Amino acid sequence: MNSQTAPLSKKSMIPKGLLVAIGGKEDKENDLQILSTVMSLVNKEKKKIEIITTASQHPKEVGSDYYRIFTKDPNHTVGLLHISTREQAADVSFLERISEADVIFFTGGDQLRITSILGGSPIEGEILRRYREEFCIIAGTSAGASAMSKTMINGGDSREALRKGTISVSSGIGLVDNAIIDTHFVERGRFSRLMQTVSMNPRNTGIGLGEDSGIVIEEGCILKAIGGGITVILDGQNLKYTNVANINSDESIAIENLVIHTIVDGYGYDLCRKRYLKPDDLRRMHLGESEENTNENN
Amino acid sequence: MNSQTAPLSKKSMIPKGLLVAIGGKEDKENDLQILSTVMSLVNKEKKKIEIITTASQHPKEVGSDYYRIFTKDPNHTVGLLHISTREQAADVSFLERISEADVIFFTGGDQLRITSILGGSPIEGEILRRYREEFCIIAGTSAGASAMSKTMINGGDSREALRKGTISVSSGIGLVDNAIIDTHFVERGRFSRLMQTVSMNPRNTGIGLGEDSGIVIEEGCILKAIGGGITVILDGQNLKYTNVANINSDESIAIENLVIHTIVDGYGYDLCRKRYLKPDDLRRMHLGESEENTNENN
């Protein structure tokens, strides 16, 4: 971890874990670029991986795909956590497995299943604690990525978006603060629904993950794009005006001045400082050459 | 016409005509808000309207819809110009009708039909001349709107966009300079293809017209939103970086800093000064109170 990527808040608030948010439909047959990256983040030969299938109504089918991939390396210990009730979300043996996992992987499905089953549960508490206090990887794809943010989009048709009341938002797990993560983003043309959500509270940065692409989030701030696709960043901090508070339900939303970026493999974005990071910027950060890092590391 | 809306170039370059670009699927059955607005721009009881069906492969069906609507007012003289060959695009009797029309209306279909049949023809020349030199209305919906800009998107799937080479662009009629007009915009999630096109040459402002919504363009600069939908403005003038010149075909495009707005009925945008216009700004302009207009009009 590099001290120069510390968030603006207190150092003690910097999470020790890493997040990997994936836009869905990551490659599972060929070079497995994204899933391999998830594994490569743990510098251990024998990794413990737990797959949480809570999002899916077909947990066994969904889980077996990832089980097959992650057990290709015989050194890995892979478990499936088919948590589908609030009782199971408090299960002591499940809790122990979460406590010991190097990688906790959330599959796709419906993000409302994740939050309604895990929200406020001991399992969720332990995931949040470990992310804050210990090095571990929390990864999620599709619904598993959407649920990571504190504010979570759980429904709404992009074709009908930019009209008041058409997008449904609720509380996510809250691993990522001040951001809203949407998935299948370019492929399902979800720009309008993320614009609408960001304009309703521009403190939140919109993160639109394309399919077969994702981001690694370091220290709660530094996003690094991975995979073959595109991640869209929607920055509302310079929003000048919106009519959203003055119109009725279903009326069209006027918005002045959102900033939009795309990042691809090798590029990044600093969520805390709202700064675009080119490959050279990321390299400098890892060499400890950023402007914030002067003599401390010498 | 208000002198304060003059573009930054010479006054003699200010077109005397008005453009109305419509995003497709405008209401044809109920209150006809957009089509009525087109008619209301001509301050004459007896209006001459010519419908150009060139974009469509089913010109009679498409034309008859608009013929029915525009002839509801018995004072109107409505003609159908089924121009489907280069020979017809030079027809002297058609040319005469174009010269005398108060409203020239382009239907939807395929914008490449418009440009490949009319491009460089006497009919196109006369439309461009009239727009520059005389008060008249040139309106177009869907393909008829897309063809208005100098740079025209003619194909490309938004779901595959933001990868080099996936969007097809050619020359439009050229009524609107320094802009690219896309249609069915929110409904078909076309943000990615317009972002890609604008980032390839950020001199062009992207205009994404939603369905049942449109813009009136005054003096080649001032866009005023009409209809019930949303128009998206994509301003590339502060683009800081893109990798598009350095990547291979089909690779993902990184883009830093595009600005995005939405305008709805009552709002506008100054294409020449890249300025968002709220209802109050538009009112002030019509009262001759803008900063550019000091003593000239008093």
Side-chain angles (χ1 to χ4, degrees):
Chain A
M1 234 126 296
N2 300 308
S3 63
Q4 74 275 15
T5 58
L8 301 174
S9 55
K10 277 186 250 164
K11 270 214 165 178
S12 62
M13 303 284 282
I14 303 172
K16 291 203 171 61
L18 295 180
L19 300 175
V20 186
I22 307 164
K25 287 205 180 167
E26 66 284 350
D27 171 38
K28 294 185 195 70
E29 302 301 333
N30 300 303
D31 63 354
L32 313 173
Q33 196 190 340
I34 290 182
L35 297 176
S36 304
T37 301
V38 172
M39 291 304 131
S40 73
L41 294 170
V42 183
N43 192 17
K44 265 188 186 178
E45 206 179 326
K46 292 169 188 282
K47 305 176 177 63
K48 283 187 186 160
I49 300 150
E50 293 290 351
I51 301 164
I52 300 182
T53 58
T54 304
S56 177
Q57 289 197 291
H58 309 285
K60 286 183 185 164
E61 290 92 311
V62 170
S64 66
D65 257 0
Y66 292 102
Y67 186 85
R68 175 180 58 79
I69 292 166
F70 295 147
T71 51
K72 273 185 185 165
D73 184 333
N75 288 310
H76 293 174
T77 309
V78 184
L80 284 157
L81 284 171
H82 295 313
I83 302 169
S84 60
T85 64
R86 301 279 303 171
E87 287 71 34
Q88 291 170 330
D91 186 285
V92 176
S93 68
F94 287 175
L95 210 54
E96 264 171 32
R97 284 164 57 184
I98 289 289
S99 303
E100 288 168 6
D102 299 303
V103 177
I104 299 164
F105 190 94
F106 285 87
T107 70
D110 180 346
Q111 48 265 49
L112 264 184
R113 283 183 57 85
I114 296 179
T115 58
S116 62
I117 292 169
L118 295 182
S121 72
I123 291 281
E124 186 199 59
E126 179 61 6
I127 292 170
L128 287 164
R129 186 198 66 74
R130 290 207 63 207
Y131 173 60
R132 278 194 306 266
E133 300 177 7
E134 296 174 19
F135 181 79
C136 61
I137 313 296
I138 323 274
T141 185
S142 191
S146 298
M148 283 183 181
S149 48
K150 262 195 183 152
T151 304
M152 174 181 94
I153 297 178
N154 65 56
D157 187 334
S158 311
R159 292 167 295 187
E160 288 160 14
L162 290 168
R163 293 176 188 273
K164 190 170 179 173
T166 53
I167 303 301
S168 178
V169 163
S170 54
S171 293
I173 295 180
L175 291 157
V176 189
D177 203 4
N178 299 336
I180 299 165
I181 298 174
D182 206 351
T183 60
H184 304 279
F185 194 75
V186 176
E187 295 75 9
R188 297 190 189 169
R190 287 179 160 172
F191 294 78
S192 53
R193 77 180 204 173
L194 197 59
M195 285 170 67
Q196 175 166 346
T197 318
V198 168
S199 69
M200 288 168 75
N201 189 337
R203 187 188 57 221
N204 292 313
T205 299
I207 302 173
L209 302 167
E211 292 177 353
D212 196 30
S213 62
I215 47 170
V216 179
I217 308 184
E218 290 183 5
E219 302 190 338
C221 283
I222 306 300
L223 275 50
K224 292 178 179 173
I226 57 173
I230 294 125
T231 291
V232 173
I233 306 289
L234 203 56
D235 170 10
Q237 74 168 337
N238 293 314
L239 179 87
K240 288 189 188 159
Y241 171 82
T242 174
N243 65 353
V244 74
N246 308 324
I247 58 176
N248 295 319
S249 187
D250 213 43
E251 286 186 351
S252 299
I253 302 175
I255 301 171
E256 180 179 6
N257 220 72
L258 290 176
V259 170
I260 195 163
H261 313 284
T262 65
I263 56 175
V264 302
D265 195 42
Y267 291 72
Y269 187 75
D270 183 336
L271 203 55
C272 301
R273 298 181 187 80
K274 317 271 189 198
R275 207 177 125 215
Y276 193 87
L277 301 171
K278 294 200 274 282
D280 275 353
D281 300 320
L282 285 169
R283 256 192 299 275
R284 263 196 297 277
M285 292 169 78
H286 279 267
L287 291 170
E289 289 175 14
S290 99
E291 54 273 71
E292 287 89 344
N293 184 47
T294 50
N295 296 320
E296 277 181 86
N297 279 11
N298 298 334
Chain B
M1 234 116 313
N2 300 311
S3 63
Q4 74 274 16
T5 59
L8 301 172
S9 54
K10 275 186 251 166
K11 271 214 164 180
S12 61
M13 302 284 282
I14 302 173
K16 292 204 170 63
L18 295 179
L19 300 177
V20 185
I22 307 162
K25 287 205 179 166
E26 66 283 351
D27 170 40
K28 295 184 192 74
E29 302 301 334
N30 302 303
D31 63 356
L32 312 174
Q33 197 190 341
I34 289 183
L35 296 175
S36 303
T37 302
V38 172
M39 292 303 133
S40 73
L41 295 169
V42 183
N43 193 16
K44 264 186 183 179
E45 206 178 326
K46 293 171 188 280
K47 304 176 179 58
K48 283 186 185 159
I49 300 148
E50 293 290 351
I51 301 164
I52 300 182
T53 59
T54 304
S56 178
Q57 288 197 292
H58 309 283
K60 286 183 183 162
E61 290 92 311
V62 171
S64 67
D65 257 1
Y66 292 101
Y67 186 86
R68 174 180 59 77
I69 292 165
F70 295 146
T71 51
K72 272 184 184 165
D73 184 332
N75 288 311
H76 293 174
T77 310
V78 183
L80 284 158
L81 284 171
H82 294 313
I83 302 169
S84 59
T85 62
R86 300 278 304 169
E87 288 70 35
Q88 290 169 333
D91 185 285
V92 177
S93 69
F94 286 175
L95 210 54
E96 265 172 30
R97 285 163 59 184
I98 289 290
S99 305
E100 288 169 6
D102 298 304
V103 177
I104 299 164
F105 189 95
F106 284 87
T107 70
D110 180 346
Q111 48 267 46
L112 264 185
R113 283 182 58 86
I114 298 180
T115 58
S116 62
I117 293 168
L118 295 182
S121 72
I123 291 282
E124 185 199 60
E126 179 62 5
I127 292 169
L128 286 165
R129 185 198 67 74
R130 289 207 61 209
Y131 173 60
R132 279 194 305 266
E133 298 177 8
E134 297 174 20
F135 180 79
C136 60
I137 314 296
I138 323 274
T141 185
S142 192
S146 297
M148 283 183 179
S149 48
K150 263 194 183 152
T151 303
M152 174 181 95
I153 297 177
N154 65 56
D157 187 333
S158 311
R159 292 168 295 185
E160 289 160 12
L162 289 169
R163 291 178 189 268
K164 189 168 179 174
T166 54
I167 303 301
S168 178
V169 163
S170 54
S171 294
I173 294 179
L175 291 156
V176 188
D177 203 2
N178 299 337
I180 300 166
I181 298 174
D182 206 351
T183 60
H184 305 279
F185 194 74
V186 177
E187 294 75 9
R188 297 189 190 170
R190 288 180 161 171
F191 294 79
S192 53
R193 76 180 205 173
L194 196 58
M195 285 171 67
Q196 176 166 347
T197 319
V198 168
S199 68
M200 287 168 75
N201 190 338
R203 186 187 58 220
N204 292 313
T205 298
I207 302 172
L209 302 168
E211 291 178 354
D212 196 30
S213 63
I215 46 170
V216 179
I217 308 183
E218 290 182 5
E219 302 189 339
C221 282
I222 306 299
L223 274 51
K224 292 178 179 172
I226 57 174
I230 294 125
T231 292
V232 172
I233 306 289
L234 202 56
D235 170 10
Q237 73 169 336
N238 293 314
L239 178 86
K240 287 188 188 161
Y241 170 82
T242 174
N243 65 353
V244 74
N246 307 324
I247 58 175
N248 295 319
S249 186
D250 213 42
E251 285 187 350
S252 298
I253 301 175
I255 301 171
E256 181 179 5
N257 220 71
L258 291 175
V259 171
I260 194 162
H261 313 285
T262 65
I263 56 175
V264 302
D265 195 44
Y267 291 72
Y269 187 76
D270 184 335
L271 202 55
C272 301
R273 296 181 190 80
K274 316 271 188 198
R275 208 178 124 213
Y276 194 87
L277 301 170
K278 293 201 273 280
D280 276 353
D281 300 320
L282 285 168
R283 257 191 301 276
R284 263 197 298 277
M285 290 170 77
H286 279 268
L287 292 170
E289 287 176 16
S290 97
E291 55 273 72
E292 287 89 344
N293 185 46
T294 50
N295 295 321
E296 277 181 85
N297 278 12
N298 298 335

